[in-house]
């Protein structure tokens, strides 16, 4: 690939810096306006808008490790990613993401940062005792969604289809009991989302861009919320659905389509909003450079039917659950939080979980799409994939069902914006900005949900 003249290269860098500055300004405005609304009207129901967090400068046992991991990835990440054998790179990226996520979680200590996260009153582990008879609990699930019903579910249980809760029920029955094991599950599985995105980028674009994206995926600010929230686990399941579809579409084997469909069906039963991953799947089909074979579509749909069929036969009605969730949402703070603030402040949350480098990368994504009317180049195919994720995120934003807490809820979409960083020049500088943002957020704020 020919290098642009120095003047053009510096012009691109200046444009990247302007995009990053605009993203930082969006965050600043969201903080100032949000602080004013919360102080005067008390309608945001977050203490450090736009994030659901508390101002709490602190250090912890994970601090030294987090700084070391960040420094290692910044200094050595781009070179190592360029030289490692492909499978070694995937393993190294997963290990780095694990180390980064664990160290950030442990900044808050073991109890507050890991073991206690999924045991609070709104979380999944508080209801495990009501799932002794799993078929009965599933048949009865929708009867406890709406506030005011007998024994209403906690907010996170009511806000998701039952596959989310069933995951932790099965972990408990396997002997992996308590918040520590649940947190470890979310971190360990959630960190594999990094690997899934790399697999998809290599299949749809090329290996060079996947290697350039790897350090940014491993060192994502989103790790602050992957450790520990169930949405990190959801992000990984959704990411592998897309990755397997990318393998199927690009000719590896159509059999991958069945696995992709199976995971997409599970994704829809982990979170109602993640049905929007169909938009990212559509981007994969467009970027796949060939018309999908009918067998691929059949296998995907067959796989996608498995989880819905199991839960439907068990007595859970997904559509009824979603209808009742909308009622529950507007019964609570979702019906009070002002749409006019959150419809743009949620985008500021996205900046915080993806970083300023991603804002600059999205600028380059737009340039790539504008210059190419076809998916001919690797850069344009990567741009299509990122654009699909951006469209899905904006659809979630405009729906009004994602007012606040999107730093956690939108983790699955955020993972597919990060590969845009592969289009940037001077990766070490941008990686430094990513690491600094995550370290500042995790040490100055106490995040919660």
């Amino acid at each position: 690939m020919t290098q642009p003249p120095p003047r053009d290269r510096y012009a691109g860098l200046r444009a990247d810096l302007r995009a990053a500055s605009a993203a930082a300004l969006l965050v600043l405005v969201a903080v100032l306006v949000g602080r004013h609304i919360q102080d005067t009207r008390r309608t945001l129901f977050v203490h450090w808008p736009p994030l659901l967090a508390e101002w709490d400068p602190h250090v912890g046992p994970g601090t030294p490790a987090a700084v070391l991991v960040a420094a290692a990835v910044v200094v050595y990440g781009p070179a190592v990613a360029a030289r490692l054998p492909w499978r070694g790179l995937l393993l190294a990226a997963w290990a780095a993401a694990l180390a980064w996520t664990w160290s950030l979680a442990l900044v808050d200590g073991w109890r507050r940062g890991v073991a206690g996260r999924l045991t609070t009153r709104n979380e999944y582990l508080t209801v495990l005792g009501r799932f002794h008879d799993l078929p009965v609990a599933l048949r009865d699930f929708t009867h406890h969604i709406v506030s005011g019903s007998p024994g209403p579910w906690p907010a996170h249980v009511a806000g998701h289809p039952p596959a989310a809760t069933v995951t932790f029920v099965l972990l408990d029955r396997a002997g992996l009991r308590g918040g520590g094991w649940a947190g470890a599950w979310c971190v360990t599985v959630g960190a594999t989302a990094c690997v899934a995105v790399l697999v998809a980028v290599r299949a749809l674009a090329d290996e060079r861009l996947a290697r350039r994206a790897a350090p940014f995926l491993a060192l994502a600010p989103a790790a602050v919320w992957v450790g520990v929230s169930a949405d990190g686990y959801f992000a990984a399941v959704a990411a592998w659905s897309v990755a397997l579809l990318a393998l199927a579409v690009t000719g590896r084997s159509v059999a991958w389509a069945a696995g992709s469909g199976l995971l997409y069906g599970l994704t829809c039963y982990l979170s109602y909003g993640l049905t929007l991953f169909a938009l990212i799947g559509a981007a994969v089909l467009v970027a796949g450079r060939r018309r999908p074979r009918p067998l691929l579509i059949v296998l995907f749909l067959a796989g996608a039917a498995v989880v819905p069929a199991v839960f439907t036969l068990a007595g859970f009605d997904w559509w009824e659950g979603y209808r009742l969730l909308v009622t529950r949402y507007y019964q609570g703070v979702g019906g009070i939080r002002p749409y006019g603030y959150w419809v743009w402040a949620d985008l500021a949350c996205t900046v915080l979980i993806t970083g300023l480098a991603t804002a600059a990368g999205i600028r380059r994504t737009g340039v790539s799409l504008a210059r190419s009317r076809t998916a001919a180049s690797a850069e344009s195919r990567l741009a299509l994939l990122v654009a699909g994720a951006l469209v899905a995120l904006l659809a979630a934003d405009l729906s009004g069902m994602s007012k606040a807490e999107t730093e956690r809820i939108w983790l699955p979409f955020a993972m597919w914006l990060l590969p845009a960083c592969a289009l940037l020049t001077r990766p070490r500088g941008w990686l430094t900005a990513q690491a600094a943002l995550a370290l500042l957020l995790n040490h100055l704020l106490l995040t919660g949900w």
Side-chain angles (χ1 to χ4, degrees), residues 52 82 113 199 251 293 370:
L52 183 63
V199 168
R293 286 174 280 178

Side-chain angles (χ1 to χ4, degrees), residues 406-438:
T406 52
E407 65 271 18
R408 169 183 58 83
I409 298 168
W410 286 357
L411 285 174
F413 303 118
M415 297 306 300
W416 294 96
L417 300 179
L418 290 164
C421 297
L423 302 174
L424 297 172
T425 59
R426 302 177 183 265
R428 285 190 177 88
W430 290 111
L431 281 168
T432 301
Q434 297 287 89
L437 174 62

Side-chain angles (χ1 to χ4, degrees), residues 171-195:
L171 283 176
D172 184 78
R173 292 186 179 181
L176 305 179
R177 298 184 176 90
W181 282 112
W185 168 266
C186 292
V187 171
T188 304
V189 176
T192 69
C194 159
V195 180

Side-chain angles (χ1 to χ4, degrees), residues 191-234:
T192 69
C194 159
V195 180
V197 175
L198 292 178
V199 168
V201 171
R202 181 179 185 244
L204 293 170
D206 64 15
E207 189 170 314
R208 174 183 60 87
L209 287 172
R211 289 178 178 275
R212 288 179 63 85
F216 290 96
L217 285 156
L219 204 62
V224 172
W225 289 273
V226 173
V228 175
S229 74
D231 295 83
Y233 156 53
F234 304 163

Side-chain angles (χ1 to χ4, degrees), residues 28-273:
L28 177 60
V29 173
V31 171
L32 296 177
V33 173
R35 185 71 273 157
H36 173 73
I37 294 173
Q38 182 62 12
D39 288 344
T40 58
R41 303 179 191 173
R42 307 285 182 183
T43 57
L44 297 188
F45 296 94
V46 294
H47 294 159
W48 204 87
L51 299 177
L52 183 63
E54 305 279 351
W55 179 257
D56 182 22
H58 63 287
V59 295
T63 298
V67 173
L68 287 173
V69 171
V73 175
V74 168
V75 174
Y76 301 109
V80 169
R83 294 171 186 167
L84 276 179
W86 175 248
R87 291 185 180 180
L89 172 61
L90 295 181
L91 183 60
W94 184 39
L98 270 176
W100 180 233
T101 307
W102 271 115
S103 60
L104 288 173
L106 290 171
V107 168
D108 296 331
W110 170 252
R111 182 67 199 170
R112 189 169 72 165
V114 180
R117 288 286 189 174
L118 297 172
T119 62
T120 58
R121 63 186 182 88
N122 286 323
E123 286 287 359
Y124 303 95
L125 268 61
T126 60
V127 301
L128 298 190
R130 296 171 62 178
F131 280 77
H132 288 307
D133 190 329
L134 198 53
V136 170
L138 291 176
R139 287 196 300 271
D140 200 41
F141 191 87
T142 57
H143 297 153
H144 306 286
I145 293 177
V146 176
S147 294
S149 60
W153 298 121
H156 288 188
V157 178
H160 296 81
T165 308
V166 168
T167 297
F168 297 106
V169 171
L170 296 178
L171 283 176
D172 184 78
R173 292 186 179 181
L176 305 179
R177 298 184 176 90
W181 282 112
W185 168 266
C186 292
V187 171
T188 304
V189 176
T192 69
C194 159
V195 180
V197 175
L198 292 178
V199 168
V201 171
R202 181 179 185 244
L204 293 170
D206 64 15
E207 189 170 314
R208 174 183 60 87
L209 287 172
R211 289 178 178 275
R212 288 179 63 85
F216 290 96
L217 285 156
L219 204 62
V224 172
W225 289 273
V226 173
V228 175
S229 74
D231 295 83
Y233 156 53
F234 304 163
V237 175
W240 281 108
S241 174
V242 174
L244 296 185
L245 182 61
L247 292 176
V249 167
T250 53
R252 270 64 174 183
S253 171
V254 292
W256 291 118
S260 173
L262 180 66
L263 291 179
Y264 178 69
L266 175 57
T267 297
C268 294
Y269 277 72
L270 290 171
S271 174
Y272 295 104

